[in-house]
Amino acid sequence: EKEEVHLLSLPALPSLNSIQNPSSITYYPPILRQVWKWKDDTLGNGRDYILPKPRALRDFNSLLVGQSFTFLEDNDNNSNGGVKKRKVVVEECATLSNCARMDVLLSTKIITTSSSNNTTEEEDGTLLPITTSKE
């Protein structure tokens, strides 16, 4: 087991009013626009002023704390050709938000186990992705 801290920053979307050349707009996936819309609707957009939303932030953080994510990684250094199974558990979460940004700080615990085969399913039947480690 080891612990890691991750910072997730929501990239700012350019305002159409502030862009001199609309043809130079970078493509942003729809999910990014949806997250910004949720952030503005729920936490405020700060155009006039920004009010703290402690309950909304607490509820958002509580959605993430306790979540776990599992993935497989090729274990090229392993002589039996197995894979490493990594489970990432979110132990703590803090969210910082203002009109121009949203940052989520996650404290995680990583549990690594080895497996001798390359096929694994979660209890619900979900296949885990396999990524190649080039360390």
Side-chain angles (χ1 to χ4, degrees), residues 55-67 93:
R55 281 183 269 166
L57 287 171
R58 183 187 63 225
D59 291 347
F60 175 73
N61 292 343
S62 70
L63 289 173
L64 296 174
V65 172
Q67 292 294 319
C93 176

Side-chain angles (χ1 to χ4, degrees), residues 35-109:
V35 172
W36 265 107
K37 181 177 181 342
W38 173 86
K39 179 241 171 250
D40 286 348
D41 292 349
T42 306
L43 301 176
N45 58 22
R47 284 178 178 65
D48 297 326
Y49 56 89
I50 193 157
L51 293 174
K53 306 281 185 164
R55 281 183 269 166
L57 287 171
R58 183 187 63 225
D59 291 347
F60 175 73
N61 292 343
S62 70
L63 289 173
L64 296 174
V65 172
Q67 292 294 319
S68 65
F69 309 93
T70 305
F71 62 95
L72 296 178
E73 180 178 68
D74 284 342
N75 192 359
D76 293 334
N77 298 330
N78 191 342
S79 60
N80 66 5
V83 294
K84 287 182 184 175
K85 181 177 178 182
R86 296 185 185 220
K87 182 176 182 181
V88 179
V89 180
V90 178
E91 293 190 320
E92 295 181 57
C93 176
T95 304
L96 307 170
S97 176
N98 64 22
C99 59
R101 64 187 296 162
M102 181 173 159
D103 297 322
V104 180
L105 191 63
L106 301 174
S107 173
T108 62
K109 177 173 56 175

Side-chain angles (χ1 to χ4, degrees), residues 2-47:
K2 72 176 187 175
E3 295 179 358
E4 292 182 351
V5 175
H6 301 274
L7 175 64
L8 309 173
S9 293
L10 185 64
L13 297 176
S15 166
L16 292 178
N17 298 331
S18 68
I19 297 176
Q20 301 295 330
N21 182 6
S23 65
S24 69
I25 296 175
T26 304
Y27 171 76
Y28 292 95
I31 188 70
L32 190 57
R33 293 189 184 280
Q34 292 170 352
V35 172
W36 265 107
K37 181 177 181 342
W38 173 86
K39 179 241 171 250
D40 286 348
D41 292 349
T42 306
L43 301 176
N45 58 22
R47 284 178 178 65

Side-chain angles (χ1 to χ4, degrees), residues 69-76 81-88 110-122 126-135:
F69 309 93
T70 305
F71 62 95
L72 296 178
E73 180 178 68
D74 284 342
N75 192 359
D76 293 334
V83 294
K84 287 182 184 175
K85 181 177 178 182
R86 296 185 185 220
K87 182 176 182 181
V88 179
I110 310 228
I111 304 163
T112 303
T113 57
S114 292
S115 172
S116 60
N117 61 31
N118 290 340
T119 58
T120 297
E121 287 188 15
E122 286 292 279
T126 304
L127 290 174
L128 302 173
I130 296 177
T131 59
T132 302
S133 174
K134 299 296 180 192
E135 295 178 18

